Amino acid sequence: MLITSLKNEHIKDLVKLKDKKTRDELGLFLVETKHLVIEAYRAGLIEELILEQNEIFPNDCKKITYVTKDILKKLSSMESPSNVMAVVRKRKEAAEYG
């Protein structure tokens, strides 16, 4: 699926993950950069992979969302956003300690 609109409801929900309260309530957070996405993948914690529209990233994630560079900028907390992000679920032991 390719999302091109910043007004898309799913994108709005992903932006909410920048808020700590939302992250804690949902038990989800965003990770950026290929390295962190690979680590989350190895740990089996990825709920959704978010890629720039022409990015190729070998994996077997069930949910992959392709987005534009503008959407990556909106989701990112970095000055120069990565072209690979993921929605990751918190580990149970990490959630217990906040």
Side-chain angles (χ1 to χ4, degrees):
M1 166 182 13
L2 172 64
I3 299 175
T4 58
S5 173
L6 290 168
K7 296 179 181 180
N8 179 283
E9 288 302 316
H10 184 58
I11 298 305
K12 289 179 182 180
D13 289 341
L14 292 175
V15 169
K16 290 177 186 176
L17 291 176
K18 289 182 168 185
D19 178 57
K20 182 177 179 349
K21 182 178 177 185
T22 302
R23 290 192 305 267
D24 290 345
E25 286 174 3
L26 299 176
L28 300 172
F29 61 99
L30 286 170
V31 295
E32 304 179 54
T33 73
K34 289 181 181 180
H35 172 74
L36 292 176
V37 171
I38 289 169
E39 290 301 314
Y41 175 77
R42 287 182 180 152
L45 299 173
I46 292 181
E47 293 291 316
E48 176 182 0
L49 187 61
I50 303 165
L51 302 174
E52 188 173 359
Q53 58 191 7
N54 296 320
E55 182 69 24
I56 297 171
F57 192 81
N59 67 77
D60 59 355
C61 292
K62 293 178 184 172
K63 185 171 184 182
I64 301 174
T65 302
Y66 292 92
V67 298
T68 63
K69 192 68 160 176
D70 286 340
I71 292 174
L72 285 171
K73 286 179 186 176
K74 179 83 171 172
L75 296 175
S76 179
S77 59
M78 298 169 36
E79 234 177 86
S80 298
S82 173
N83 52 358
V84 177
M85 300 175 85
V87 176
V88 177
R89 85 179 156 273
K90 291 183 179 183
R91 290 184 178 179
K92 289 182 182 180
E93 62 270 15
E96 291 172 9
Y97 299 106

